[in-house]
Amino acid sequence: MTLSTLTQQQQDFVDAVSDFCRREVTDDVARPHDDVLYRKMADLGWLGVTTPEEYGGAGLGMRDLLLLLETSAYGKAPTGGYATSVITAAAFEKFGTPEQKHTVLGDFVAGDVLAISMSEPGAGSDVGGLTCRAEPAGGGWVVNGQKTWCSNAHIAKHILLVARTSSEGGKHEGLTMFLVPADADGLQIHGIETMGGREVNDLYFTDCRLPAEAVVGVEGNAWPQLMAGLNIERMILAGLMLGTARRIFDDTVAYVAEREQFGRPVGSFQALKHRVADLATDLEATRLLVHDAAARMDAAPGELFPREASMAKLKATELAKTMALEGMQMMGGYGYATEYGMEAMLRSTVVSTVYGGTSEIQRDIIGRSYGL
């Protein structure tokens, strides 16, 4: 499928990324992150597609970022570290000091992975309930506490930490962002085994000392800073799952067009043909929704678009999960076998409706946007 609204430059970009994936992704095994391939993409200047030119990026818009995410996901590029990296980079672009931007954005564009740490054992969707503390000490800060579900911390160079620096006021007050080197003394990173392997981590801070200049943005102002970046995160996840859903659809159609039972391709039976038709229609509608949200953001960069971003994330992730389940069902036993890769697609999509704000949270945000 192609989009009629792409400029020639954008279509050329899509073609280049597609060609790269065909050449460089040499197997069908789901790998979370391949550093060699990732740095090849960095050398091509793709990772910093939205990063300002002064820090080595291309300075383009959300639509261009979406095209990179969608196309690389469709091509099964093992670049699992990119989503958290671009989310974290966006926070530094908005709120970092010149020195922080020079360091973090420069490393990001060059191919280093970034991570952001918000969740805790007792604070998931309710981020305001976090208790990991950073206290003033010796002109800097000392951090103590546990964080969890931190994606890619084990392969990251820098971690953007959200910690509590004050207990005064409401639960959303007194939160501060910090730049933490992943190899900082007093920080231990322990992997959490999941259906998808090691993708997320527990972080344990024990008297972890940070300099005063580690504060990102305004002390005590992390909550509104986070809110400014959550819509970007949702669009990034929507782009990844949109590309994944497209790949699952094409793989499924290719299989049912070739697999024969009772003397003809199984895709020719009405039961499967109608399922494919419904999935194709839903996929096209989702792609239009996601790309329209990105175009709106590019047209009005100062606005947040929470409704549109939540709709995009909700629809794309739910579709990708449904697409994988339907693909597995239509492929029968082969959908369950590792040989064909559909089970890996299921493992990578089933969590997408949880991370980055659950589908229930997205529905709540959408409902509130209508005054409910």
Side-chain angles (χ1 to χ4, degrees):
M1 288 182 287
T2 58
L3 288 166
S4 60
T5 55
L6 296 185
T7 65
Q8 187 58 54
Q9 181 182 17
Q10 288 172 330
Q11 186 59 57
D12 291 342
F13 181 43
V14 169
D15 293 342
V17 177
S18 296
D19 182 65
F20 176 86
C21 290
R22 282 191 293 268
R23 288 184 290 104
E24 298 292 339
V25 181
T26 56
D27 58 60
D28 203 37
V29 178
R31 292 168 290 154
H33 188 83
D34 185 317
D35 187 65
V36 173
L37 182 142
Y38 191 65
R39 291 188 184 275
K40 287 182 180 180
M41 294 178 70
D43 291 341
L44 291 166
W46 292 348
L47 302 186
V49 61
T50 58
T51 305
E53 294 181 32
E54 61 186 299
Y55 301 109
L60 300 176
M62 177 59 72
R63 189 86 186 279
D64 301 279
L65 174 59
L66 192 68
L67 292 171
L68 173 60
L69 293 163
E70 179 185 355
T71 308
S72 60
Y74 180 86
K76 295 186 177 181
T79 54
Y82 187 59
T84 56
S85 296
V86 72
I87 291 166
T88 306
F92 280 97
E93 183 182 332
K94 283 179 177 289
F95 305 110
T97 64
E99 293 77 14
Q100 289 171 343
K101 291 179 181 180
H102 177 77
T103 298
V104 177
L105 297 183
D107 288 345
F108 163 61
V109 170
D112 287 316
V113 172
L114 311 176
I116 181 169
S117 181
M118 294 184 286
S119 297
E120 296 181 4
S125 296
D126 182 16
V127 178
L130 62 83
T131 59
C132 179
R133 296 194 64 87
E135 298 180 338
W141 299 87
V142 174
V143 183
N144 283 284
Q146 180 186 352
K147 311 296 284 188
T148 193
W149 305 120
C150 185
S151 299
N152 299 315
H154 59 298
I155 57 173
K157 184 173 183 179
H158 307 287
I159 298 171
L160 180 60
L161 169 70
V162 183
R164 185 165 295 284
T165 51
S166 173
S167 298
E168 298 180 3
K171 68 178 182 179
H172 294 143
E173 299 178 51
L175 303 178
T176 303
M177 289 180 171
F178 294 91
L179 169 59
V180 181
D183 60 354
D185 291 338
L187 168 61
Q188 290 187 328
I189 301 173
H190 292 219
I192 301 172
E193 291 302 319
T194 70
M195 287 175 63
R198 183 178 178 181
E199 302 170 313
V200 293
N201 305 270
D202 283 317
L203 274 57
Y204 297 94
F205 291 90
T206 306
D207 293 333
C208 180
R209 294 187 174 274
L210 302 175
E213 56 269 23
V215 172
V216 180
V218 178
E219 178 186 337
N221 203 48
W223 182 255
Q225 292 175 191
L226 282 172
M227 293 302 101
L230 286 180
N231 297 321
I232 296 174
E233 177 183 13
R234 288 161 188 156
M235 289 301 300
I236 289 167
L237 298 176
L240 285 171
M241 287 301 108
L242 174 60
T244 302
R246 286 182 51 219
R247 182 56 185 256
I248 294 170
F249 177 83
D250 284 357
D251 287 352
T252 301
V253 171
Y255 179 86
V256 300
E258 293 181 359
R259 170 69 168 169
E260 291 192 0
Q261 289 288 278
F262 305 103
R264 57 178 171 143
V266 295
S268 67
F269 290 95
Q270 187 181 72
L272 269 63
K273 189 187 300 182
H274 285 191
R275 287 165 100 163
V276 168
D278 287 341
L279 290 171
T281 303
D282 208 12
L283 179 58
E284 183 68 7
T286 302
R287 197 175 190 207
L288 292 171
L289 171 70
V290 173
H291 279 270
D292 180 69
R296 293 186 187 208
M297 291 182 175
D298 286 340
E303 297 185 32
L304 296 180
F305 294 99
R307 177 193 297 172
E308 290 80 0
S310 288
M311 284 181 172
K313 199 272 182 183
L314 172 66
K315 187 63 176 173
T317 56
E318 289 288 350
L319 173 64
K321 182 170 69 173
T322 298
M323 194 76 77
L325 287 167
E326 288 290 320
M328 180 173 284
Q329 187 69 26
M330 285 190 274
M331 290 177 67
Y334 289 111
Y336 193 62
T338 57
E339 177 185 355
Y340 281 81
M342 188 58 68
E343 57 82 30
M345 288 294 195
L346 178 60
R347 285 187 282 111
S348 68
T349 57
V350 74
V351 71
S352 68
T353 60
V354 176
Y355 60 44
T358 64
S359 290
E360 290 74 19
I361 289 293
Q362 304 311 318
R363 291 185 177 102
D364 198 49
I365 292 169
I366 296 166
R368 286 204 307 268
S369 75
Y370 287 100
L372 302 177

